[in-house]
Amino acid sequence: MKSYVVVGLGRFGSEVARQLYRCGCEVLAIDLRSELVQQISADVTHAAVGDSRDKEVLRALGVGDFDCAIIAIGEDLAASVLITMNLKELGVPYLVCKAHDDVHRRVLEKLGADRVVIPEQENAARLAKSLSSPNLLDYIELSEEYSIIELPAPKSWVGKNLKELNVRAKLGVNILAVRRNGKLDVSPAAEFTFADGDIVVVLGDAKALKAVERL
């Protein structure tokens, strides 16, 4: 079971904490405001009132034993910087930080944050991408080069299996999963045959994914 620390229980942090817990993860949620901690206590594994700017508070909570920490304090640059430093020093292996803007993002990256998110920008990018590509159901940017898209299986794929299509060699993409009738088949076998109505989750670079969208 993966374990996560979520620091900051505003709208973003509390939703991340709840979603991780629903996915079967161990979640420790921390905030200075006792009312927010009380609101989420039934929806996570552990909830604690504490000042994460104090390294000893984090140490007492055992954050160094968790797999990942999400610092969801995007409005207070000084606080997010100090908390990021504390968590790095306590040995948390992977840090995800929420930033308010690009300047904040660059500061956190310099401090060693493994991933920095600006939710408003990411949501805007996903919306724009989905609106500009009629067949696209969802879009997740992994890096400047690679993304994951979710779209209906192209008509030319229906009735053919993955081995016949050989999309990795021909298109340069990987099929991560296929959703059929609400059920998700992760890493489908080479003999998997596409049917009308299948939803495909595809990983690739921008050029390759655009080619899939045009099929």
Side-chain angles (χ1 to χ4, degrees):
M1 178 191 298
K2 285 250 182 181
S3 56
Y4 297 84
V5 180
V6 179
V7 178
L9 298 175
R11 284 186 297 177
F12 176 75
S14 58
E15 186 60 26
V16 168
R18 288 188 174 98
Q19 290 292 345
L20 287 169
Y21 183 69
R22 288 170 192 156
C23 290
C25 302
E26 179 184 358
V27 180
L28 167 62
I30 309 171
D31 201 285
L32 265 173
R33 295 160 291 184
S34 58
E35 66 275 13
L36 296 182
V37 172
Q38 187 175 3
Q39 287 172 14
I40 204 170
S41 60
D43 300 325
V44 295
T45 315
H46 310 284
V49 178
D51 187 350
S52 298
R53 294 171 296 184
D54 186 336
K55 185 161 62 174
E56 294 311 310
V57 168
L58 294 173
R59 193 193 306 277
L61 290 168
V63 298
D65 297 327
F66 284 75
D67 298 314
C68 174
I70 298 98
I71 300 98
I73 302 172
E75 297 76 22
D76 189 336
L77 175 58
S80 65
V81 164
L82 184 54
I83 294 165
T84 299
M85 291 172 62
N86 286 342
L87 291 166
K88 287 290 286 186
E89 289 174 12
L90 290 170
V92 179
Y94 194 86
L95 296 182
V96 179
C97 299
K98 177 188 175 187
H100 180 65
D101 54 30
D102 284 324
V103 173
H104 191 174
R105 175 181 57 79
R106 288 195 293 271
V107 170
L108 293 170
E109 288 174 344
K110 290 288 187 184
L111 290 171
D114 297 284
R115 181 176 177 186
V116 180
V117 298
I118 304 176
E120 294 80 5
Q121 284 188 6
E122 294 197 3
N123 288 337
R126 291 176 73 178
L127 177 61
K129 184 72 176 176
S130 64
L131 290 174
S132 62
S133 303
N135 290 331
L136 204 61
L137 301 178
D138 202 358
Y139 163 80
I140 301 171
E141 183 177 333
L142 300 178
S143 68
E144 291 184 0
E145 294 181 0
Y146 290 94
S147 301
I148 296 172
I149 63 172
E150 183 177 304
L151 75 170
K155 295 295 183 185
S156 59
W157 291 9
V158 174
K160 298 178 181 178
N161 63 36
L162 281 169
K163 186 176 181 180
E164 290 177 279
L165 292 168
N166 198 13
V167 293
R168 182 181 295 178
K170 293 179 179 178
L171 297 171
V173 299
N174 289 290
I175 306 299
L176 301 181
V178 180
R179 183 179 291 108
R180 179 179 292 173
N181 299 324
K183 294 183 179 180
L184 192 66
D185 185 345
V186 179
S187 296
E191 294 74 26
F192 180 91
T193 301
F194 287 97
D196 194 30
D198 284 350
I199 303 299
V200 191
V201 182
V202 187
L203 166 68
D205 62 26
K207 183 179 179 180
L209 293 178
K210 186 58 70 175
V212 173
E213 289 178 48
R214 288 195 294 261
L215 290 174

